[in-house]
Amino acid sequence: MSDKIHPREADKEEEEQEQEQQVSKLSPPSPDRAAEVPVPVPAPVPAPPVPGTYVIQIPKDQIYRVPPPDNALRYKHLSKPKKSRSSLANCCRCFFITLLVLFLLLAVAAAIFYFVFRPESLNYTVDTLSIKSFNLSSSSSSTISPVFDLSLSAHNPNNKLGIYYLKPSSVKLFYKDLNLCNGVLPQFFQPRNNVTVFKTALKAASALELTTSVHNELVAAEKAGTVPFRVNVRAPVKFKVGSVKSWTINVKVRCDVTVDKLTAESKIMWKKCDYSVDVW
């Protein structure tokens, strides 16, 4: 037999091979092969909206940058720039440092003033207290218009400080808390290391009607020979050092005085004076 293949038979074999390939493509893969090929998972289908509702999508820029009208004021307040805590702390620190520097400068100036000029305390004392028109009747109450002639000495022991006594000054005389009469001090200059005597008349602005208790107390005190009074003096002054004058300083003097009787010949039985200074 001959080994040659007829052309028609070769064509038939090729057609049969092509048909087998097409059938293999259409036929499902074998179980072993199907396990190797991944199967795509279908995307979830969104649920249909509930009838009567609407879904509105708002851009992100509109949510953060365009507030609704009812929150416009709140948005404006929150959008304002705020000062940092560090700047506020720096301001407070600078303020306290400035105060501390001023305090130290004042302390140094006061120390220099003290060691250079050696200021000494002023001395005040009541020399005489003459009483007029203070006649107490035997009735349970009485009306009086007293007049007190006061003599007050002021001693300036400083060797380098002069004192200007200015207006307005005031002198008030009390029996306990009852203001009996008032007066003023003269305006003058007291040189250094000097003693000046003030003499002033203290009068009541109007007639005073004493209550029964005050009247009885004064009568009993006069009989015992110990009638207590209090004198309050207030005077604005300026200190002079060389050609330099200080600012106005208020000097306050309180003198407790006890006399033996309520007449022009009264004598001082006991006295004590203290003073204070208001620098500002």
Side-chain angles (χ1 to χ4, degrees):
M1 289 181 64
S2 175
D3 295 335
K4 293 183 181 179
I5 300 174
H6 195 273
R8 288 183 178 179
E9 294 178 356
D11 293 339
K12 289 181 179 180
E13 292 179 358
E14 291 179 358
E15 289 179 359
E16 290 177 358
Q17 292 177 358
E18 290 179 356
Q19 289 178 359
E20 290 178 359
Q21 292 177 358
Q22 289 179 0
V23 171
S24 63
K25 290 180 180 180
L26 294 176
S27 62
S30 61
D32 297 338
R33 191 175 179 182
E36 297 177 359
V37 179
V39 179
V41 179
V45 179
V50 180
T53 62
Y54 300 90
V55 178
I56 301 175
Q57 295 183 355
I58 301 175
K60 184 177 181 181
D61 294 343
Q62 186 175 359
I63 293 175
Y64 289 97
R65 298 184 181 180
V66 183
D70 54 346
N71 291 337
L73 294 177
R74 180 178 177 84
Y75 171 78
K76 184 178 180 181
H77 174 71
L78 295 176
S79 62
K80 290 182 179 180
K82 297 181 179 180
K83 295 183 178 179
S84 61
R85 294 185 177 180
S86 60
S87 61
L88 182 61
N90 291 334
C91 292
C92 294
R93 191 180 297 109
C94 293
F95 176 74
F96 285 112
I97 290 175
T98 303
L99 287 181
L100 180 61
V101 171
L102 290 177
F103 178 78
L104 291 176
L105 290 176
L106 289 176
V108 171
I112 293 174
F113 178 83
Y114 177 80
F115 286 108
V116 171
F117 298 102
R118 297 286 182 176
E120 298 183 24
S121 299
L122 305 179
N123 296 321
Y124 296 92
T125 183
V126 175
D127 295 330
T128 60
L129 185 63
S130 179
I131 306 171
K132 303 175 182 177
S133 303
F134 210 126
N135 296 324
L136 297 176
S137 62
S138 60
S139 60
S140 61
S141 64
S142 61
T143 301
I144 59 173
S145 298
V147 176
F148 289 75
D149 290 332
L150 174 67
S151 177
L152 179 68
S153 295
H155 179 205
N156 177 17
N158 295 282
N159 296 324
K160 298 180 180 180
L161 293 178
I163 305 175
Y164 286 93
Y165 285 85
L166 309 174
K167 292 181 179 181
S169 62
S170 64
V171 182
K172 297 182 179 181
L173 189 140
F174 293 85
Y175 172 74
K176 295 186 176 181
D177 294 331
L178 178 62
N179 184 200
L180 296 177
C181 49
N182 305 309
V184 296
L185 295 179
Q187 185 177 2
F188 74 102
F189 172 72
Q190 184 179 23
R192 57 189 181 180
N193 198 13
N194 174 265
V195 177
T196 302
V197 179
F198 301 96
K199 290 186 178 182
T200 181
L202 308 179
K203 299 180 181 179
S206 59
L208 298 175
E209 184 174 355
L210 301 178
T211 62
T212 303
S213 59
V214 172
H215 176 270
N216 294 336
E217 288 178 2
L218 286 172
V219 171
E222 187 175 17
K223 288 182 179 179
T226 56
V227 184
F229 292 107
R230 184 178 79 251
V231 179
N232 289 350
V233 181
R234 178 189 173 278
V237 301
K238 284 186 178 182
F239 294 101
K240 180 182 178 183
V241 181
S243 59
V244 179
K245 295 181 183 179
S246 70
W247 60 93
T248 302
I249 299 172
N250 290 316
V251 174
K252 297 180 180 179
V253 182
R254 169 175 173 162
C255 294
D256 295 317
V257 183
T258 300
V259 296
D260 60 346
K261 51 188 175 182
L262 300 174
T263 63
E265 292 78 19
S266 62
K267 295 181 181 179
I268 296 177
M269 307 301 295
W270 181 85
K271 59 184 177 181
K272 179 182 178 181
C273 292
D274 296 318
Y275 86 98
S276 61
V277 176
D278 289 341
V279 179
W280 308 108

